[in-house]
Amino acid sequence: MKHITPKEVESFLKQNQSLNIIDVREVEEVATGKIPGAWNIPLGLLEFRMHELDKTKEYILICRSGTRSARATELLEGHGFSVTNMMGGMLVWEGIIK
């Protein structure tokens, strides 16, 4: 499983790099704030919505602490997606939230 730190994600965003971020937290959690541009697909729905994703793109998966996004990373990897887990999740995110 590939990992990325929140600081690395923040740095890429500050450089205006296009990132495909999927936030697997529940809708209520995301309502309190998310990384700008992140797409919310709760972990429980990910298996049913993976058809919406493009296997030619790379995705960064995030959650509150990094545990659910690790499970999501394993699920998507198993289906042939290129994915990276953001370690520590939103608990350690220091960047902008919307």
Side-chain angles (χ1 to χ4, degrees):
M1 175 184 310
K2 293 189 296 186
H3 293 92
I4 191 168
T5 67
K7 285 287 185 197
E8 290 171 312
V9 173
E10 184 179 4
S11 175
F12 290 142
L13 290 172
K14 284 181 179 177
Q15 295 170 23
N16 292 319
Q17 290 191 21
S18 178
L19 300 177
N20 299 302
I21 300 172
I22 300 174
D23 190 326
V24 298
R25 294 178 296 160
E26 295 299 318
V27 173
E28 302 81 30
E29 293 174 284
V30 173
T32 65
K34 66 178 183 118
I35 296 173
W39 189 15
N40 178 227
I41 304 177
L43 179 59
L45 299 177
L46 187 58
E47 183 175 3
F48 307 104
R49 292 186 56 191
M50 70 173 76
H51 68 277
E52 299 173 28
L53 305 178
D54 182 346
K55 286 188 177 180
T56 66
K57 295 182 179 180
E58 295 189 19
Y59 296 94
I60 296 172
L61 299 172
I62 64 170
C63 67
R64 185 181 73 83
S65 66
T67 303
R68 283 178 282 179
S69 56
R71 288 196 311 245
T73 299
E74 290 174 353
L75 172 69
L76 292 177
E77 276 180 340
H79 285 87
F81 289 92
S82 178
V83 289
T84 303
N85 181 39
M86 187 176 87
M87 299 182 300
M90 294 302 288
L91 289 176
V92 295
W93 178 255
E94 296 177 352
I96 296 171
I97 59 169
K98 291 196 174 189

